[in-house]
Amino acid sequence: MQILKIPDEKDLYVAAFKLLNILGPVAGVLIIIGTVALGYVQTRPQNLPVTHILTHGDRTFKLSVASTPEQLEKGLKFRASLNGDRGMLFNLGREIYDVPFWMYKVNFPLDIFYLKDNVVTTAVYNAEPCHKTPCPIYKGKVASQVLELVKGAANIKVGDRLNIQPLSVLPKNNIGIYSGNSLKTKNNR
């Protein structure tokens, strides 16, 4: 019969102390790395694909569309700039009254257009960037979509009907749109 030796209480404390001396710094470094990584991910601009085209007058704008709550919240935050022929369309999912938008952590001025059935119900021109709260909140009377374009890029007014189309309904040979199979032939797949 073997006798089970129970370690001395002092030995347990020494072993636990040694383990903490090893795990403590490792945990500290992991917390620091995790915090920096999380901050980096949260402050990166979103890069949504261009899925729609807006034509107004003689101008054409390529639009990215934000539809999920996360995309709607991030919008154009953290971007350094936006090309004059680009914009973002926010699909709100339903008709909303007194639609609030703000420019928190957006780095350049925008024109904001509130749309119902593609008709502009409210226009906010030159909404200035805001980096500290409280920021001004811009409200549209009613909207199911909101369009943001670079300040002064389009001569859009309240009451204008906008021609916003998904890329899938444009002609396949439209210049400037890559259809993905323009170099393929029947025999060369």
Side-chain angles (χ1 to χ4, degrees), residues 4-167:
L4 181 62
K5 181 179 177 191
I6 298 176
D8 187 2
E9 191 175 315
K10 182 179 176 185
D11 292 338
L12 287 175
Y13 286 123
V14 169
F17 183 73
K18 286 181 181 178
L19 183 62
L20 283 177
N21 277 337
I22 294 170
L23 292 180
V26 170
V29 168
L30 289 175
I31 289 171
I32 291 169
I33 290 172
T35 303
V36 170
L38 183 62
Y40 174 74
V41 168
Q42 289 179 337
T43 59
R44 285 185 45 140
Q46 64 182 341
N47 189 18
L48 300 174
V50 171
T51 59
H52 286 68
I53 296 287
L54 161 67
T55 52
H56 185 73
D58 62 346
R59 298 285 317 263
T60 299
F61 298 90
K62 301 170 192 163
L63 304 178
S64 300
V65 178
S67 297
T68 68
E70 295 81 16
Q71 293 170 344
L72 292 168
E73 181 183 343
K74 200 160 201 182
L76 293 171
K77 286 181 183 176
F78 310 115
R79 286 197 185 186
S81 64
L82 185 66
N83 290 339
D85 69 340
R86 296 287 304 269
M88 183 167 281
L89 183 66
F90 295 80
N91 277 330
L92 305 178
R94 61 184 170 87
E95 189 175 290
I96 301 175
Y97 289 86
D98 296 321
V99 181
F101 262 64
W102 66 346
M103 297 288 291
Y104 184 60
K105 296 193 178 182
V106 176
N107 293 315
F108 44 89
L110 295 170
D111 290 341
I112 305 171
F113 303 101
Y114 298 82
L115 311 173
K116 177 183 172 195
D117 301 323
N118 284 355
V119 175
V120 178
T121 62
T122 306
V124 176
Y125 302 103
N126 194 25
E128 289 292 326
C130 177
H131 297 284
K132 292 182 181 178
T133 58
C135 292
I137 296 176
Y138 305 100
K139 290 190 176 185
K141 294 177 186 176
V142 60
S144 57
Q145 296 178 312
V146 177
L147 173 67
E148 291 183 342
L149 299 173
V150 172
K151 172 187 86 167
N155 187 21
I156 297 174
K157 297 176 183 61
V158 172
D160 285 355
R161 176 172 293 283
L162 300 184
N163 181 15
I164 299 172
Q165 297 292 322
L167 288 176

Side-chain angles (χ1 to χ4, degrees), residues 1-5:
M1 182 160 153
Q2 286 186 341
I3 299 177
L4 181 62
K5 181 179 177 191

